[in-house]
Amino acid sequence: MDLKRIHNVYFIGIGGIGMSALARYFKFIGKNVAGYDKTQTPLTEELSGLDMDIHYQDDINDIADLFKNKENTLVVYTPAVSVEHTEYQYFLNNSFEIKKRSEVLGLITKGSFCLAVAGTHGKTTTTSILAHLLKETGVSFTGFLGGISEDFNSNFVFEGTDYSVVEADEFDRSFLRLFPNVACVTSMDADHLDIYGNPEELQKSFVEFANRVAPDGALFVRKGLPLAGISYGIDDNADYCITNLKIENGSYIFDLKTPDATLIDVKFSKPGRHNLLNGLVAFAMALRTGVSADKLSGALATFKGVQRRFSYKIKNEDFVFIDDYAHHPTEIDAVYDAVAEMHPNKRTLAIFQPHLFSRTRDFGNEFSKSLSKFDSILLLDIYPAREKPIEGITSEWLLGKMKGAQVKTIQKTKLINEIKEQNPQVLITMGAGDIGLEVSKITKELQHAY
């Protein structure tokens, strides 16, 4: 496909975090951009503010005539959209150029030196740290991020075209469309079993991804994962290794050992050892662009974070409110460990919105174990995303597996009153569905209460 002959780009599912980054890119390079999404959100409103025509009904009559010219229009869709979608069927039946988001991302980045971040957890934070490091050290790059970076206030960054920074998403095997020069794998925990069927097939896809790294490139792998590569870790003699770790004023201070040198008293302020590992591998990947280790270590200290990735919404002496995208048991464990490390012996209340019926079913026991670490849990209804309900799989079903903690199911409209009644010292919201839309409401209601 020759992108030069494309004048119009239409997105089916434009409000998705990965889709919206591509939409911003095409708008930035001067294309006409429009799209459909099922829900109006602050993100779709931002895109509308950039002169993108967005509608929320699946109706071909709402598509502007400009985007019905198949000779110069590209249609990009997300796998989360059903193949029965009316607009998708219209473009398919009329022989438009239709591509998945991952295919388009692969085409865009193929001509640059591609830095790709893979893993079942940690992709968004790692790509955001990597983009921040390159920006702070003057590297020419384009970044497609899987979340809204607090450093850029966007999920798309344009600082040039020499390098590209991308998330390599394992869902639907999307990352096998990329052509990475340097890549990392942060984790390989079982997930997306609705796609892969079993953990072994998921691991095979990561091996395939690793084999796509350019022969003269580099693959960084968290130590302990069953992949050959340059290892990174904490106090484990990895090739890139953090040692002498301590906490001072809510920040990590540590020594950073590389194969060539050891940097002393490096600072990183994002809580959680999982985030510290993300920062370490982003540092290692950024070194491959030729920037000095000293410059990169200084830039590590100024990384602000990513929205909904252990984001402090309220941080007072008597009350802390943290919001996180965690939607897998391993991610919930990481949030709990970070809370316990940074706010020890505080009374916790976790609000969790399960994401996908299949994931809730496949990891019910693991979810119950991870969530039960918190003192009190409120369970919202399962967010279906692309799925239809599975009989018997509900938040009440998950509640029945919980042990040792105070737990109840709750509707969103009753959240604020319940939070006030429980009066926790640390409040945590978690989930990948629309729970994020509740965060601003909770923050507004509670920020003057403490």
Side-chain angles (χ1 to χ4, degrees):
M1 184 187 70
D2 182 9
L3 288 176
K4 292 181 180 178
R5 70 169 179 80
I6 297 297
H7 301 303
N8 315 307
V9 187
Y10 188 85
F11 289 84
I12 305 176
I14 194 169
I17 197 71
M19 293 280 279
S20 60
L22 278 180
R24 292 180 195 269
Y25 167 79
F26 281 114
K27 191 68 179 179
F28 181 83
I29 64 173
K31 308 296 185 184
N32 301 309
V33 178
Y36 154 88
D37 206 275
K38 67 178 181 179
T39 306
Q40 185 173 4
T41 65
L43 186 50
T44 60
E45 290 173 3
E46 278 187 33
L47 299 181
S48 294
L50 296 173
D51 198 28
M52 301 183 202
D53 184 15
I54 300 174
H55 61 268
Y56 303 95
Q57 297 293 326
D58 177 15
D59 188 342
I60 60 174
N61 293 317
D62 289 337
I63 303 172
D65 290 342
L66 184 68
F67 298 91
K68 292 180 178 178
N69 182 349
K70 67 181 179 183
E71 301 304 321
N72 58 13
T73 297
L74 168 66
V75 178
V76 186
Y77 74 100
T78 169
V81 169
S82 167
V83 293
E84 299 171 355
H85 192 273
T86 304
E87 294 184 12
Y88 173 81
Q89 285 296 324
Y90 165 79
F91 289 117
L92 185 67
N93 293 333
N94 286 280
S95 302
F96 277 72
E97 185 95 57
I98 305 175
K99 292 191 178 296
K100 287 184 179 181
R101 179 188 65 87
S102 56
E103 293 179 86
V104 178
L105 187 59
L107 287 169
I108 293 171
T109 58
K110 188 176 182 180
S112 67
F113 189 101
C114 181
L115 301 157
V117 177
T120 46
H121 323 294
K123 293 186 293 294
T124 297
T125 301
T126 303
T127 52
S128 297
I129 298 171
L130 180 53
H132 170 73
L133 295 180
L134 299 185
K135 169 68 165 61
E136 291 299 296
T137 53
V139 175
S140 166
F141 79 99
T142 304
F144 299 89
L145 313 180
I148 305 298
S149 162
E150 293 178 357
D151 294 274
F152 301 106
N153 196 32
S154 180
N155 56 347
F156 171 68
V157 187
F158 183 84
E159 294 290 333
T161 58
D162 291 347
Y163 295 86
S164 55
V165 173
V166 300
E167 281 197 24
D169 189 2
E170 74 281 359
F171 173 73
D172 200 31
R173 297 177 172 84
S174 292
F175 57 1
L176 302 182
R177 304 278 189 177
L178 298 174
F179 305 89
N181 298 90
V182 173
C184 76
V185 176
T186 64
S187 49
M188 293 167 56
D189 293 304
D191 198 5
H192 305 303
L193 298 186
D194 56 322
I195 300 295
Y196 288 96
N198 58 66
E200 291 73 28
E201 286 300 314
L202 175 66
Q203 290 205 0
K204 285 181 184 177
S205 73
F206 276 100
V207 173
E208 288 184 60
F209 171 74
N211 290 335
R212 293 184 67 80
V213 177
D216 59 347
L219 175 67
F220 295 91
V221 179
R222 183 170 60 78
K223 188 165 184 179
L225 294 180
L227 276 179
I230 303 167
S231 63
Y232 68 97
I234 299 175
D235 288 329
D236 56 5
N237 295 314
D239 298 317
Y240 286 78
C241 191
I242 286 171
T243 61
N244 300 322
L245 178 63
K246 54 185 179 287
I247 297 173
E248 294 182 1
N249 299 319
S251 296
Y252 291 115
I253 307 294
F254 54 92
D255 297 340
L256 197 165
K257 179 184 77 68
T258 77
D260 303 314
T262 298
L263 303 170
I264 306 299
D265 289 340
V266 180
K267 182 179 179 181
F268 186 73
S269 298
K270 197 65 182 169
R273 295 195 176 204
H274 61 299
N275 284 322
L276 191 55
L277 285 167
N278 295 335
L280 174 60
V281 73
F283 170 92
M285 294 177 73
L287 274 177
R288 293 287 165 150
T289 67
V291 179
S292 74
D294 286 336
K295 285 185 178 180
L296 290 172
S297 66
L300 266 180
T302 60
F303 175 68
K304 294 178 182 178
V306 184
Q307 289 182 17
R308 304 218 63 229
R309 301 312 192 274
F310 209 89
S311 300
Y312 283 104
K313 310 309 293 184
I314 301 174
K315 191 177 183 181
N316 298 325
E317 186 174 338
D318 299 325
F319 176 71
V320 172
F321 174 24
I322 298 161
D323 179 43
D324 197 276
Y325 191 70
H327 57 284
H328 184 281
T330 301
E331 295 166 348
I332 294 171
D333 288 339
V335 170
Y336 176 82
D337 290 343
V339 169
E341 186 174 52
M342 292 297 177
H343 307 285
N345 305 314
K346 299 286 188 180
R347 189 174 65 260
T348 57
L349 168 60
I351 303 169
F352 179 59
Q353 182 186 47
H355 184 265
L356 297 179
F357 296 100
S358 61
R359 182 183 284 124
T360 306
R361 175 199 62 198
D362 294 340
F363 300 102
N365 292 333
E366 292 84 353
F367 274 124
S368 65
K369 183 178 178 181
S370 298
L371 289 167
S372 293
K373 295 178 180 179
F374 297 95
D375 297 316
S376 183
I377 303 103
L378 300 176
L379 292 177
L380 294 173
D381 289 339
I382 297 172
Y383 185 78
R386 59 187 179 271
E387 292 185 337
K388 294 180 180 179
I390 297 174
E391 185 176 355
I393 304 302
T394 64
S395 289
E396 287 76 12
W397 172 83
L398 182 58
L399 181 149
K401 292 177 170 289
M402 309 283 282
K403 297 177 181 178
Q406 179 184 339
V407 57
K408 65 163 64 173
T409 57
I410 194 169
Q411 298 300 310
K412 293 174 187 173
T413 54
K414 298 180 179 179
L415 274 177
I416 291 174
N417 286 339
E418 183 67 28
I419 294 167
K420 289 180 176 179
E421 186 173 320
Q422 293 205 25
N423 192 29
Q425 293 172 296
V426 180
L427 172 68
I428 309 104
T429 47
M430 295 182 292
D434 59 5
I435 187 174
L437 300 177
E438 302 301 311
V439 172
S440 60
K441 301 174 189 176
I442 296 171
T443 304
K444 184 178 180 180
E445 186 69 27
L446 298 182
Q447 63 186 352
H448 300 302
Y450 293 89

